Amino acid sequence: MTVNDDSFTNWKNREEIAESMIPIIGKLHRERDVTVLLHSRSLVNKSVVSILKTHRFARQIAGEELSVTDTLPFLQALTTLDLGPSQIDLGMLAATYKADERGLSIEEFTAEAVSGATGANKIECRQGRDVVLYGFGRIGRLVARLLIEKAGSGNGLRLRAIVVRGGGADDLVKRASLLRRDSIHGQFQGTITVDEANGTIVANGNEIKVIYANDPSEIDYTEYGIKDAILIDNTGKWRDREGLSKHLRPGVDKVVLTAPGKGDVPNIVHGVNHDMIKPDEQILSCASCTTNAIVPPLKAMEDEYGVVRGHVETVHSFTNDQNLLDNYHKSERRGRSAPLNMVITETGAASAVAKALPDLKAKITGSSIRVPVPDVSIAILNLQLARETTREEVLDHLREVSLTSPLKRQIDFTSAPDAVSNDFIGSRHASIVDAGATKVEGDNAILYLWYDNEFGYSCQVIRVVQYVSGVEYPTYPAPAV
């Protein structure tokens, strides 16, 4: 047998093991509300190849690929335990077991590592929490995809309705079609049908009522069987407490805005300040995509080096707020053709940093250039640090933060020398540090941070909604602090 034959045989064996993992992962998710992760990346509803690729990602951590032959025994051990709702990271289990010197079996070690989710310690499955989307544009449809993907056992978040303005003939069919196919993010993973008689879109079995209204005051959500719902406003029409309070109608308990909040509306960046949300807070904002991109790495740099001052320049993909061709716009430059020009504009991300990181005393300024790409942006964060350092030290720090810290769902890291914006479409992280572009000299550090300003931001929104709804279950083994 040739070397090539050996490699192919090894691949086929790993494919077979990955195939055997899929029904176990699915059953844990459906029946026990357990999400199986691999180094913070979900394995639920993933294909054989996706599972193998996610294992290969472990090279970033251990310096060598993690094999499915290493993680399958831990997965099998989980099936023997009386597990409650939780997130369990197979990659962290394998890594911590390897470092453990007590001679425990995999079954014994796994039972100990996830003991907080078993037996008398386990959390009981919570009732599903109703969610309403007010608006169904770019962010609204991606949030809908994520909510449907995460429906799982039915005990988590349940997308019950979307609210839109009437759009004339075949409105329901057209909106379903926009959910089904996306020019940037591809096909919806599942099936979508339209029930015009009942005014619903049925996506992977989730019945989503389409409510037509021109103003929040027109709606009583209890008429649709909706109660204690979290309403996600992705229109951006109202940004202060007074305006967003209009959504607090019968059936709605909390309002989450997918744009920077004004006045005393809390601006939340999950991973940084979400644990500061007061239990009785009914109105909050998820800030902007750019704020979510820069605040986690800014916190990582502040915690390690201290930040004296900084400037962020965002090179941002164009959005629906701009014109396709030159036409009237209330903002001068945004009236010029988006796909034909680079357009200098403002960003509120720098001023929003103070809300998300109130302890940061450094002055942060910012500006933005819109460019002719439909998705994925890059933030260039230029920082004066409180102490001198080196490029190698900064990259080692950010790499470690992205892999093992509580910010690992927010910060990703790439050392690919040929990385370009399209490579990050579909990234679930708030931002991705580009190692090759990073520059450090003395007390000055310049970070290049890629981010999918549509999908990555939508993932951050979902994390906030999960947190305020109480369905963000603990992760085992617990991440290092």
Side-chain angles (χ1 to χ4, degrees):
M1 181 176 286
T2 67
V3 173
N4 286 339
D5 287 337
D6 287 341
S7 297
F8 186 67
T9 299
N10 178 264
W11 171 260
K12 300 301 286 184
N13 289 338
R14 286 187 292 146
E15 273 190 323
E16 184 177 359
I17 294 171
E19 284 175 357
S20 72
M21 296 173 79
I22 291 174
I24 302 174
I25 293 167
K27 188 173 183 179
L28 285 170
H29 189 56
R30 286 191 307 275
E31 296 183 1
R32 306 194 198 180
D33 220 357
V34 172
T35 299
V36 177
L37 311 173
L38 192 86
H39 291 305
S40 79
R41 287 157 164 80
S42 174
L43 296 182
V44 177
N45 292 329
K46 293 298 187 287
S47 68
V48 168
V49 171
S50 292
I51 289 174
L52 293 174
K53 286 182 68 175
T54 306
H55 278 74
R56 188 168 172 78
F57 167 79
R59 289 180 307 162
Q60 296 261 18
I61 297 171
E64 59 184 7
E65 186 171 343
L66 182 65
S67 173
V68 286
T69 60
D70 299 321
T71 57
L72 179 61
F74 293 97
L75 183 61
Q76 291 170 329
L78 293 177
T79 66
T80 68
L81 301 174
D82 181 25
L83 283 170
S86 56
Q87 299 186 100
I88 298 178
D89 195 316
L90 295 182
M92 293 301 293
L93 274 174
T96 52
Y97 179 70
K98 187 175 182 180
D100 191 83
E101 298 179 346
R102 292 175 295 165
L104 299 176
S105 68
I106 286 178
E107 291 75 17
E108 291 169 332
F109 181 84
T110 301
E112 179 184 277
V114 304
S115 60
T118 60
N121 296 324
K122 71 179 182 181
I123 301 170
E124 292 303 319
C125 288
R126 299 186 176 101
Q127 291 295 314
R129 188 68 177 267
D130 291 351
V131 178
V132 174
L133 293 178
Y134 198 96
F136 205 50
R138 297 298 303 155
I139 299 302
R141 292 194 295 274
L142 291 178
V143 167
R145 285 187 174 201
L146 287 164
L147 287 168
I148 295 162
E149 170 193 301
K150 295 177 182 296
S153 64
N155 295 312
L157 301 173
R158 302 182 302 188
L159 176 56
R160 297 294 307 281
I162 61 173
V163 182
V164 293
R165 291 190 298 251
D170 295 326
D171 183 272
L172 203 61
V173 172
K174 289 176 181 177
R175 294 191 189 276
S177 182
L178 285 169
L179 180 62
R180 184 181 292 114
R181 303 179 185 87
D182 191 281
S183 299
I184 296 169
H185 301 283
Q187 297 275 347
F188 174 80
Q189 296 301 303
T191 63
I192 293 175
T193 58
V194 174
D195 183 350
E196 293 194 74
N198 292 306
T200 60
I201 296 172
V202 184
N204 290 358
N206 295 267
E207 293 187 3
I208 307 162
K209 180 69 177 179
V210 179
I211 302 171
Y212 294 101
N214 294 314
D215 188 81
S217 63
E218 301 175 9
I219 312 168
D220 180 342
Y221 292 97
T222 60
E223 294 179 355
Y224 304 96
I226 296 169
K227 61 179 182 179
D228 298 325
I230 298 172
L231 182 144
I232 304 173
D233 182 333
N234 55 91
T235 68
K237 184 176 181 180
W238 303 278
R239 298 200 180 185
D240 59 15
R241 188 172 296 274
E242 180 182 1
L244 292 167
S245 294
K246 295 179 180 181
H247 290 303
L248 295 173
R249 303 283 300 156
V252 171
D253 179 55
K254 295 182 185 292
V255 179
V256 175
L257 171 66
T258 63
K262 295 182 178 180
D264 67 342
V265 174
N267 278 248
I268 304 301
V269 174
H270 191 276
V272 175
N273 68 338
H274 67 277
D275 56 352
M276 302 300 290
I277 301 173
K278 298 176 181 177
D280 61 349
E281 179 62 74
Q282 288 189 288
I283 296 173
L284 53 92
S285 156
C286 289
S288 70
C289 55
T290 303
T291 304
N292 277 265
I294 66 173
V295 165
L298 188 56
K299 175 175 170 52
M301 295 297 285
E302 164 70 6
D303 289 348
E304 181 68 19
Y305 304 103
V307 175
V308 178
R309 65 176 59 87
H311 176 81
V312 61
E313 188 77 36
T314 71
V315 182
H316 199 290
S317 58
F318 64 80
T319 69
N320 271 334
D321 177 60
Q322 296 171 257
N323 288 334
L324 188 61
L325 294 171
D326 289 0
N327 206 346
Y328 174 82
H329 194 289
K330 62 181 180 180
S331 298
E332 287 84 355
R333 299 190 203 241
R334 292 197 190 192
R336 302 299 298 277
S337 171
L340 296 179
N341 294 289
M342 293 188 292
V343 179
I344 298 174
T345 186
E346 70 285 341
T347 176
S351 59
V353 167
K355 279 192 170 185
L357 283 174
D359 293 336
L360 180 70
K361 305 307 178 187
K363 179 178 176 59
I364 306 294
T365 59
S367 53
S368 178
I369 303 172
R370 298 287 180 93
V371 294
V373 295
D375 187 32
V376 180
S377 305
I378 190 166
I380 306 167
L381 192 57
N382 192 333
L383 303 175
Q384 182 185 346
L385 306 176
R387 68 175 175 88
E388 293 192 352
T389 182
T390 65
R391 181 173 181 273
E392 290 72 23
E393 184 187 347
V394 168
L395 288 178
D396 285 346
H397 171 60
L398 292 175
R399 176 179 172 276
E400 189 64 24
V401 166
S402 75
L403 296 173
T404 61
S405 84
L407 288 172
K408 64 183 180 180
R409 287 201 288 174
Q410 283 70 44
I411 301 175
D412 203 359
F413 188 95
T414 181
S415 54
D418 56 350
V420 293
S421 60
N422 266 8
D423 298 331
F424 305 105
I425 291 176
S427 169
R428 295 180 180 237
H429 289 79
S431 62
I432 306 99
V433 176
D434 191 311
T438 300
K439 294 174 173 56
V440 179
E441 185 174 343
D443 64 354
N444 178 241
I446 304 175
L447 309 182
Y448 285 74
L449 308 166
W450 297 101
Y451 57 109
D452 185 329
N453 48 278
E454 293 187 335
F455 196 73
Y457 175 67
S458 296
C459 290
Q460 283 287 88
V461 172
I462 289 294
R463 289 170 190 141
V464 170
V465 173
Q466 286 178 315
Y467 181 79
V468 299
S469 70
V471 298
E472 186 180 51
Y473 298 127
T475 300
Y476 300 96
V481 178

